[in-house]
């Protein structure tokens, strides 16, 4: 195979080659990025614990459950622990500083979510006062918060009557060992929220978003879920009990077919780029019509001319793929930081980079095959007769 | 009698041109001995280029046999014909046909890639061929940086580099001035006389044809006459 001729041909049309490589690099970068976003959205589903159930209103996730349900659920055989979990929905200083906050039973949180490991501070410190909070290490790193830091949160769903922000004190920092719990959440005591609402120091609905059940060892999740649902069949508010994975899936689905949408964008971009590479290769073939005839006259076989065009296409696409993957890896930490509250698990995996490279090489093969086949079939005499 | 290296037996080749069938060679016979230098002349459409293409394995006859250096080309597969060209044929074109993106040295090295040679040996053979044609001081020049005469010298080196037994030249001086044409013809004579290469050269130029050992005149797809400059043994069979 005349490799230097392939290289020289690529260098002979520098601008065209660079533009094609650049467009492919952008496409591969985009595909890696979009796949990482989709994986991030699905991370909660993949990492869900099998020994947890979520109880929510059968009407909608946005309808709160009565406080009195907790003790009834705890009485169902197979239930080890029940923890309240209420979405707070506030922000720090500015709406753009948004991250998840949950009001929970502080004395049950770590028992229900054992994958959350305290790395600074202690559970005791967290339990010591209702205004203490537990924050993820990602959140602490983003805002520079430490143990003892006071965090003012402006409520949107729950507002304080005096118009001031809610005040929390960092009692401990945690790190999650599983993707279903991220490191960018603030957890605080439901008691603080409840007492503020009851005393009219704050305004908002008095209820519980979901109850999180920790199953007893050996219990059947399906039977427990059925028993919990049956408990409230006659009201006052019917519930729907699902596995944590199913709950996460519903949550992702609430955002619409984001994965399909993102997948379509990525697929569309790749298809368009494939056509662009095919166009480049066809142009290259037409410009070298005569040259291919000369090569054949010198004794180069049809297979070699086929390989030349194919490897040229592969070379362009492999370079574009490598560039795109490199760019996505280089910018991963930037995106992980800037999207930490929306997608806490944003990380470009080895599988994603391999997929990006694989797609680039596949495009190279698909786009190179037709011109290569034409070069192979080209009759030497016809090519030599063509105008130079 | 010298051994025959090129033999065409009752070869017929015709082409479709629109709805018309044009006969390029008709029941054509020819024998060329080893080491001969033959010029082929004739009016347009007489079959000169077709003859070269058939001998070079670039085209196939409709009927008859083409035997070059003992190889029967008629039944060869495309891959076998490619190998045959790589091993035994050197080609020189009227329009030089150097690869524009490669240097003179790389152009001459190109056909050597088809032989099992190491990089150093390949380079050595290419440099030797370039030195023979007097282009060893221009080895890193690209075709666009060379004159027509220099380009054709490089093309001669490329045809000679693989040490083929037969060199086919299709109007090698057609695009050159008198001085450059003479120097190319000198090289062809050198390759023929010093290196024993069998040369078939298509030309319209009587002065170029004079440099060959004999001139084969074609007309209407047949050998019209063979005019020797020296005693030659080959004759159109059956004529």
């Amino acid at each position: 195979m005349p490799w230097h001729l392939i290289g020289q041909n690529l260098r002979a049309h520098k601008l065209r080659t660079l533009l094609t490589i650049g467009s492919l690099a952008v496409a591969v970068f985009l595909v890696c990025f979009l796949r990482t976003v989709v994986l991030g959205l699905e991370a909660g589903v993949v990492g869900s614990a099998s020994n947890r159930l979520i109880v929510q209103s059968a009407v909608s996730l946005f309808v709160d459950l009565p406080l009195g349900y907790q003790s009834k659920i705890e009485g169902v055989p197979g239930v080890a622990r029940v923890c309240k979990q209420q979405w707070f929905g506030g922000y720090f200083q500015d709406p753009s500083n948004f991250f998840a906050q949950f009001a929970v039973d502080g004395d049950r949180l770590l028992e229900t979510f054992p994958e959350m490991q305290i790395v600074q501070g202690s559970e005791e410190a967290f339990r010591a006062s209702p205004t203490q909070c537990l924050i993820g290490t990602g959140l602490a790193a983003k805002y520079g918060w430490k143990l003892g830091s006071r965090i003012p949160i402006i409520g949107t769903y729950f507002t304080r009557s005096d118009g001031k922000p809610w005040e929390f004190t960092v009692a401990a920092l945690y790190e999650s060992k599983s993707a279903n719990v991220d490191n960018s959440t603030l957890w605080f005591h439901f008691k603080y929220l409840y007492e503020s609402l009851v005393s009219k120091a704050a305004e908002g609905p008095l209820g519980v978003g979901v109850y999180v059940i920790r199953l007893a060892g050996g219990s059947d999740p399906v039977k427990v879920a059925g028993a919990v649902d049956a408990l409230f069949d006659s009201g006052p508010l019917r519930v729907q009990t699902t596995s944590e994975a199913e709950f996460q899936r519903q949550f992702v689905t609430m955002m619409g077919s984001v994965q399909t949408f993102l997948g379509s964008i990525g697929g569309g971009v790749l298809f368009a780029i494939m056509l662009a590479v095919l166009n480049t290769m066809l142009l290259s073939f037409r410009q070298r019509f005569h040259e291919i005839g000369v090569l054949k006259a010198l004794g180069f076989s049809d297979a070699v001319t086929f390989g030349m065009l194919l490897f040229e296409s592969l070379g362009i696409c492999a370079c574009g793929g490598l560039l795109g993957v490199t760019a996505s890896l280089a910018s991963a930490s930037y995106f992980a930081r800037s999207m930490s509250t929306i997608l806490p698990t944003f990380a470009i995996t080895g599988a994603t980079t391999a997929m990006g490279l694989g797609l680039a090489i596949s495009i190279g093969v698909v786009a190179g095959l037709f011109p290569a086949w034409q070069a192979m079939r080209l009759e030497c005499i016809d090519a030599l007769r063509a105008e130079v | 009698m010298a051994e025959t290296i090129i033999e065409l037996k009752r070869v017929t080749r015709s082409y479709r041109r629109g709805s018309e069938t044009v006969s390029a060679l008709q029941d054509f016979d020819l024998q060329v001995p080893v080491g001969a230098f033959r010029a082929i002349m004739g009016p347009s459409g007489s079959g000169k280029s077709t003859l070269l293409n058939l001998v070079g394995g670039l085209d196939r006859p409709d009927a008859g046999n083409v035997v070059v250096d003992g190889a029967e080309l008629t039944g060869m597969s495309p891959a076998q014909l490619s190998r045959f060209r790589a091993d035994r044929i050197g080609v020189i074109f009227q329009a030089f046909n150097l690869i524009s993106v490669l240097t003179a040295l790389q152009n001459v090295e190109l056909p050597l890639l088809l032989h099992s040679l190491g990089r150093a040996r390949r380079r050595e053979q290419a440099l030797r061929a370039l030195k023979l044609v007097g282009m060893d001081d221009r080895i890193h020049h690209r075709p666009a940086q060379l004159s027509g005469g220099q380009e054709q010298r490089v093309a001669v080196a490329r045809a000679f580099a693989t040490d083929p037994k037969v060199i086919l030249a299709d109007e090698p001086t057609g695009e050159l001035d008198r001085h450059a044409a003479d120097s190319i013809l000198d090289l062809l004579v050198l390759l023929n006389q010093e290196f024993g290469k069998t040369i078939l050269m298509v030309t319209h130029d009587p002065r170029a044809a004079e440099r060959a050992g004999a001139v084969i005149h074609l007309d209407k797809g047949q050998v019209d006459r063979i005019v020797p400059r020296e005693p030659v043994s080959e004759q159109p069979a059956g004529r």
Side-chain angles (χ1 to χ4, degrees):
Chain A
M1 186 64 65
W3 297 110
H4 65 295
L5 181 55
I6 296 173
Q8 293 288 6
N9 271 318
L10 289 174
R11 282 194 286 273
H13 304 283
K14 280 193 190 75
L15 185 62
R16 187 174 73 193
T17 303
L18 288 176
L19 287 175
T20 311
I21 288 175
S23 60
L24 203 82
V26 170
V28 168
F29 171 81
L30 198 60
V31 165
C32 288
F33 178 79
L34 293 178
R35 180 179 151 83
T36 304
V37 169
V38 170
L39 287 179
L41 290 173
E42 291 173 348
V45 179
V46 176
S48 295
S50 58
N51 63 347
R52 279 197 295 262
L53 297 177
I54 310 293
V55 184
Q56 65 177 89
S57 163
V59 178
S60 161
L61 184 60
F62 298 103
V63 175
D64 287 338
L65 296 172
L67 291 165
Y69 276 22
Q70 187 167 19
S71 56
K72 291 179 183 173
I73 296 169
E74 276 180 330
V76 173
V79 174
R81 216 68 165 120
V82 179
C83 180
K84 294 189 216 52
Q85 190 172 318
Q86 176 66 294
W87 173 255
F88 188 70
Y91 60 85
F92 169 63
Q93 293 180 339
D94 185 89
S96 62
N97 294 326
F98 170 81
F99 53 85
Q101 307 109 29
F102 286 106
V104 292
D105 292 322
D107 55 343
R108 300 178 182 210
L109 176 67
L110 297 176
E111 196 184 340
T112 311
F113 293 95
E115 58 267 53
M116 291 168 64
Q117 312 264 303
I118 301 286
V119 291
Q120 274 187 50
S122 66
E123 188 177 359
E124 290 71 32
F126 174 53
R127 288 185 184 188
S129 158
T131 56
Q132 298 291 304
C133 70
L134 180 60
I135 62 170
T137 49
L139 202 57
K142 182 170 183 181
Y143 293 107
W145 292 330
K146 298 170 185 162
L147 292 179
S149 292
R150 294 176 70 82
I151 303 174
I153 297 291
I154 298 165
T156 54
Y157 192 43
F158 299 98
T159 53
R160 290 193 62 86
S161 304
D162 58 7
K164 291 181 179 173
W166 296 76
E167 288 277 349
F168 302 101
T169 305
V170 178
L173 269 62
Y174 74 89
E175 205 160 273
S176 175
K177 302 295 174 197
S178 174
N180 62 315
V181 178
D182 61 61
N183 291 321
S184 300
T185 299
L186 182 150
W187 307 83
F188 68 96
H189 293 274
F190 185 83
K191 189 180 174 186
Y192 180 27
L193 177 65
Y194 175 77
E195 287 176 350
S196 299
L197 291 170
V198 169
S199 65
K200 305 290 182 189
E203 292 169 5
L206 191 56
V208 177
V210 297
Y211 288 104
V212 182
I213 296 173
R214 176 131 196 250
L215 294 168
S219 56
D220 181 349
V222 179
K223 277 187 184 170
V224 173
V228 172
D229 289 351
L231 204 58
F232 306 106
D233 259 355
S234 53
L237 191 67
R238 292 177 62 237
V239 300
Q240 179 185 322
T241 307
T242 58
S243 64
E244 189 178 72
E246 184 54 34
F247 177 76
Q248 295 277 15
R249 197 170 290 118
Q250 284 176 20
F251 203 73
V252 172
T253 311
M254 278 166 59
M255 289 186 270
S257 299
V258 176
Q259 292 100 316
T260 311
F261 180 64
L262 295 181
S264 304
I265 294 174
V269 167
L270 278 179
F271 184 71
I273 295 302
M274 192 200 73
L275 293 181
V277 178
L278 176 62
N279 188 46
T280 300
M281 292 311 301
L282 282 172
L283 197 64
S284 176
F285 166 69
R286 286 194 198 105
Q287 284 178 335
R288 286 155 57 200
F289 199 78
H290 191 83
E291 177 190 305
I292 290 166
V294 173
L295 289 175
K296 289 192 176 189
L298 292 178
F300 286 89
S301 66
D302 294 341
V304 171
T305 52
F306 177 89
M308 273 179 59
L309 269 287
L310 189 61
F311 280 118
E312 196 172 309
S313 173
L314 275 173
I316 288 175
C317 292
C319 285
L322 276 172
L323 205 61
V325 163
T326 306
S328 64
L329 288 173
S331 60
S333 56
Y334 167 75
F335 285 116
R337 271 198 310 278
S338 60
M339 296 169 66
S340 61
T341 50
I342 308 164
L343 280 175
T345 58
F346 187 97
I348 292 172
T349 62
T352 299
T353 54
M355 188 200 72
L357 272 179
L359 282 171
I361 288 170
S362 303
I363 287 176
V365 172
V366 173
L369 268 179
F370 182 59
W373 180 76
Q374 284 193 310
M376 186 181 79
R377 302 241 315 161
L378 185 62
E379 286 293 336
C380 181
I381 295 176
D382 295 337
L384 289 173
R385 281 192 193 124
E387 289 295 319
V388 183
Chain B
M1 178 183 285
E3 189 185 343
T4 298
I5 191 167
I6 297 169
E7 184 173 19
L8 285 86
K9 288 185 280 191
R10 304 184 68 81
V11 168
T12 296
R13 182 69 174 110
S14 54
Y15 301 97
R16 300 283 300 175
R17 192 174 295 160
S19 57
E20 194 183 350
T21 300
V22 179
S23 178
L25 293 178
Q26 186 64 44
D27 216 12
F28 186 93
D29 294 305
L30 181 70
Q31 291 182 341
V32 178
V34 172
F37 182 0
R38 300 289 171 255
I40 302 165
M41 297 189 79
S44 290
S46 60
K48 304 184 297 294
S49 294
T50 301
L51 172 60
L52 277 200
N53 291 337
L54 288 169
V55 172
L58 300 173
D59 197 4
R60 291 173 187 275
D62 299 326
N65 298 90
V66 180
V67 181
V68 179
D69 193 24
E72 167 62 79
L73 307 191
T74 322
M76 282 188 179
S77 67
Q80 286 172 321
L81 283 175
S82 295
R83 190 69 249 170
F84 160 78
R85 284 196 294 275
D87 290 341
R88 305 189 208 189
I89 303 289
V91 284
I92 301 167
F93 304 94
Q94 179 179 359
F96 326 132
N97 284 343
L98 298 179
I99 307 295
S100 59
V101 295
L102 300 181
T103 63
L105 180 61
Q106 288 170 330
N107 264 288
V108 178
E109 277 188 311
L110 202 54
L112 292 166
L113 290 171
L114 297 165
H115 297 262
S116 307
L117 299 172
R119 185 186 167 84
R121 182 78 197 282
R122 204 163 59 225
R123 182 135 299 191
E124 182 194 324
Q125 275 190 230
L127 285 170
R128 199 169 58 202
L130 281 164
K131 189 171 184 182
L132 180 83
V133 300
M135 287 298 293
D136 49 334
D137 58 341
R138 298 274 196 283
I139 61 172
H140 297 304
H141 286 58
R142 292 184 195 279
Q145 298 167 307
L146 300 173
S147 68
Q150 289 171 328
E151 277 196 79
Q152 195 63 303
R153 281 170 173 272
V154 175
V156 170
R158 180 176 66 182
F160 171 66
T162 56
D163 195 24
K165 290 191 174 172
V166 176
I167 291 177
L168 305 175
D170 192 357
E171 299 195 47
T173 59
E175 294 192 3
L176 302 178
D177 60 36
R178 190 69 259 164
H179 177 71
D182 283 344
S183 68
I184 292 300
L185 291 167
D186 289 343
L187 282 173
L188 292 179
V189 170
L190 179 76
L191 293 180
N192 173 244
Q193 293 186 351
E194 297 295 322
F195 295 91
K197 303 300 171 196
T198 302
I199 297 176
L200 276 190
M201 175 181 71
V202 167
T203 184
H204 282 107
D205 180 1
R207 285 187 60 184
E210 279 177 15
R211 307 293 294 273
V215 183
I216 303 169
H217 290 270
L218 302 187
D219 191 27
K220 295 175 184 168
Q222 306 249 331
V223 175
D224 182 47
R225 66 187 187 282
I226 295 176
V227 181
R229 270 189 62 240
E230 60 190 23
V232 290
S233 55
E234 83 277 22
Q235 289 294 327
R239 275 166 240 281

